[in-house]
DNA sequence: CATGAATGAGACTTCATTCAT
DNA sequence: TATGAATGAAGTCTCATTCAT
């Protein structure tokens, strides 16, 4: 018996399922989203989905695994293109300004993301994974920019890059979370004020 | 004729349920935790629980209400005792410094809180409730302090109190969320740096 | 130990419960009406109710038992007062004209009545009881009137009184049922036309 | 790809559920009959039943729909075959003569039907549905026949067809209800006398 | 490999009845 | 007797997963 379908075909199917699942999770939340929802959105059969993933949890996990890799490349490229540390930082903030959770799609992303993060809290392995991802990507991205700014004289040399990287992401996450949870949150305004606050501090 | 049980008795029972529910929610998450879990942990019957609360949502709401009330009173009292706006703000931050999610109990609180907030996202009524609670308590508390500081000359008069109230809470929430989700997060350090950042801005 | 409360007191309480139960059953139906509903309406405690009746079914049964006796006397008296058979028959129909199920209260009565009748269907004893009640009261009332009319020359002597009694009540019940079940049913109009139909036949 | 089971198979299953439900409803009443009862009688799983019907109400509605359809087709065909309006009307009455609730099966039908009608009384949507079904099928069927008779000169042209349609069905329902509720009710005799009564009126 | 009907445990919630006070 | 908090079986419905075709 030789395999009847190619690996590419299978990978394509897998991605289709993941894509559909992501939309569904975002719309209704992981627990509220049913396998039938995913079936409906993907247009595949339930049996097919269970051929590619062994459980609903499994889909969730695969989805998160995949997500980690995504923005990494985008960011890395865009940042490499900017010259000054200030430009890089501003680019980053602007990228998040576009991420306003008052837009339904962004809100969906945010919800899935936070939900999964909270879920990971009860799974040491996942928690470790998320922590590593946070450090290896988000923190080190910012540390790089701050250090660059300090070297070039743009930023105050006495600030601790690591601490301020954490502060930066805490602010972004805080604003995003509030905007996700609350009605009529002035996300963009808040984020811009945070930008001022943060840059003033860095350039002091 | 005579009431069968005292009000205290009933309040005690209520608190027992709330306590048990809180532990369960923290352990498994709000949605994954079943009423039967709460039954098992509380040692009461299912009917008894529904005598005190009309739904699972209702239990959570009461839990939150309780926390808000507790904070409200503590905060109100402590803040009234401080003289200057600066003292008041510092008190608030110190209260949150004690709230370090690296302590298991605080982490439990935080998880339940964020999870339910996310859950509320898909229930307009709940979302509205959370938004009102945020505005009526958290935002207005801070607006009061900022305005007081502006009147007394402690704080810069040109800052918008409302926006900075939002910024303050976004920072606190951001730090708490990160500390909840990530391993070995330097919660206290980050929060203190945020304190500096924020106060410098206000006093500019 | 002598009894502490009088028999009258107990009977009064019983009647109060029955009264409240009747309203509740009418409003929501026997199955949908809860003991708590009856508690709420009667203002008595749940324990008290169970002191007087041993179950919800028991209340229902007592209620029906009581109802049988009620209208009997009213009708008997009013009919005795009319002189001619025609007057008597017209009185009866007019009484039912006032019973329009488009009025909420009448509808309630009707629903409870029919619901119970259907319920009795599965209980031979009750069914027998209802049948006897129907014959001893409703049918014989009408047979009496018809025969009187035949003797006095008002009505056609060749008609079978018993059959026409059945027809009369089937028509009244049919119209009442339809009006109970359907929206915007022209109960009064239909009943009047039935009156014409029936009287024409009798007087032919 | 290929459908797993044929449409006939599914229709057969549906009918099996309906059949089982009908028996259960008749035995215990619509409200007292549980989904588990239907499960037990049908030998299927609960999930299977909810695959075919979305609620217990839905099962009843389908049952009713089915009966209406059956009657509709039978009636339509049989009535089209008769030439005169009188023949048509007589056919209709004869069909109901066969429906004698003294036969257990017919009684079951009747009980379920009336019980559900009463139940619908508290559900505006259902009530509306029942009213529409009554008008669209039962009333309009009879209006058609009466008008035809008026055109052909068989029936009195001055009678209001709509009112007399209501009268007709109230009489049929009244007789059926009485026969369902009471012991030894002379259903056939009463219905025949009603036929005379009604036809005399129409032909006057 | 694909299909989707079938399964049945389990979710939330209700409510008739009991019984300690 | 009166009270009403406690009980827990039972109700409807959902849904992740399996498996015969």
């Amino acid at each position: 018996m030789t395999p009847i379908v190619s690996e590419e075909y299978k990978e394509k199917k897998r991605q289709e399922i993941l894509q559909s699942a992501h939309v569904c999770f975002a719309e209704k939340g992981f627990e509220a989203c049913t396998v039938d929802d995913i079936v409906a959105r993907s247009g595949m059969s339930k049996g097919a989905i269970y051929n590619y993933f062994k459980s609903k949890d499994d889909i969730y996990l695969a989805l998160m695994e995949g997500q980690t890799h995504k923005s990494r490349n985008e960011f890395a490229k865009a940042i490499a293109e900017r010259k000054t540390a200030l430009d890089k930082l501003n680019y980053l903030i602007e990228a998040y300004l576009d991420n306003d959770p008052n837009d339904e799609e962004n809100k969906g992303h945010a919800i899935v993301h936070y939900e999964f993060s909270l879920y990971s809290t009860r799974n040491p392995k996942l928690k470790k994974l998320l922590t590593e991802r946070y450090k290896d990507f988000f923190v080190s991205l910012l540390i790089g920019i701050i250090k660059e700014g300090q070297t070039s004289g743009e930023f105050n040399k006495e600030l601790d890059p690591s601490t301020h990287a954490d502060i930066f992401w805490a602010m972004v996450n805080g604003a995003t979370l509030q905007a996700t949870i609350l009605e009529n949150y002035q996300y963009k305004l808040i984020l811009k004020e945070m930008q001022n606050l943060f840059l003033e501090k860095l350039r002091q």
Side-chain angles (χ1 to χ4, degrees), chain A:
Chain A
M1 292 279 190
T2 51
I4 292 174
V5 300
S6 68
E7 280 305 311
E8 286 125 277
Y9 173 83
K10 278 162 72 175
E11 182 55 26
K12 196 177 129 258
K13 281 245 156 180
R14 239 183 83 93
Q15 289 306 326
E16 273 174 39
I17 295 169
L18 250 20
Q19 181 104 11
S20 305
H22 183 263
V23 178
C24 290
F25 290 158
E27 262 173 10
K28 319 178 90 185
F30 174 69
E31 318 229 17
C33 159
T34 70
V35 174
D36 277 318
D37 289 333
I38 302 174
V39 166
R41 186 167 292 270
S42 68
M44 305 174 67
S45 75
K46 217 184 285 197
I49 286 174
Y50 275 89
N51 274 343
Y52 290 95
F53 297 93
K54 70 177 204 291
S55 70
K56 199 178 117 180
D57 276 16
D58 197 35
I59 296 178
Y60 203 95
L61 261 28
L63 201 49
M64 292 302 134
E65 197 91 352
Q67 288 241 293
T68 309
H69 297 284
K70 210 177 233 172
S71 46
R72 194 185 294 254
N73 295 342
E74 280 176 27
F75 275 175
K77 216 175 85 183
I79 280 169
E81 285 170 359
R82 324 274 141 167
K83 294 256 169 56
T84 68
L86 184 60
D87 278 355
K88 292 178 184 193
L89 203 49
N90 279 330
Y91 162 77
L92 218 53
I93 292 169
E94 269 148 37
Y96 278 94
L97 278 171
D98 283 343
N99 205 36
D100 188 344
N102 290 303
D103 298 351
E104 278 310 310
E105 202 186 320
N106 292 330
K107 178 151 72 188
H109 277 276
I111 292 173
V112 178
H113 170 70
Y114 290 124
E115 241 173 0
F116 182 73
S117 300
L118 257 4
Y119 170 79
S120 305
T121 274
R122 296 178 196 98
N123 179 330
K125 246 185 188 154
L126 278 180
K127 187 165 183 176
K128 198 171 173 190
L129 218 89
L130 285 195
T131 304
E132 276 166 10
R133 169 178 172 260
Y134 172 68
K135 287 200 173 150
D136 293 352
F137 177 55
F138 291 97
V139 171
S140 70
L141 180 69
L142 220 74
I143 287 182
I145 296 176
I146 294 175
K147 281 188 173 163
E148 190 181 323
Q150 289 175 326
T151 306
S152 71
E154 288 169 275
F155 298 154
N156 179 346
K157 289 191 172 61
E158 286 171 14
L159 298 174
D160 178 45
S162 168
T163 304
H164 284 78
D166 275 338
I167 289 178
F168 178 85
W169 291 116
M171 291 196 317
V172 170
N173 262 316
T176 309
L177 182 65
Q178 306 260 55
T180 304
I181 285 169
L182 302 170
E183 281 179 340
N184 306 318
Y185 193 78
Q186 304 251 51
Y187 174 77
K188 285 198 165 75
L189 172 63
I190 302 303
L191 206 57
K192 271 187 191 150
E193 286 295 328
M194 283 176 162
Q195 182 178 27
N196 294 337
L197 202 63
F198 192 68
L199 285 178
E200 274 174 27
K201 179 72 182 182
L202 285 187
R203 313 176 75 181
Q204 229 167 31

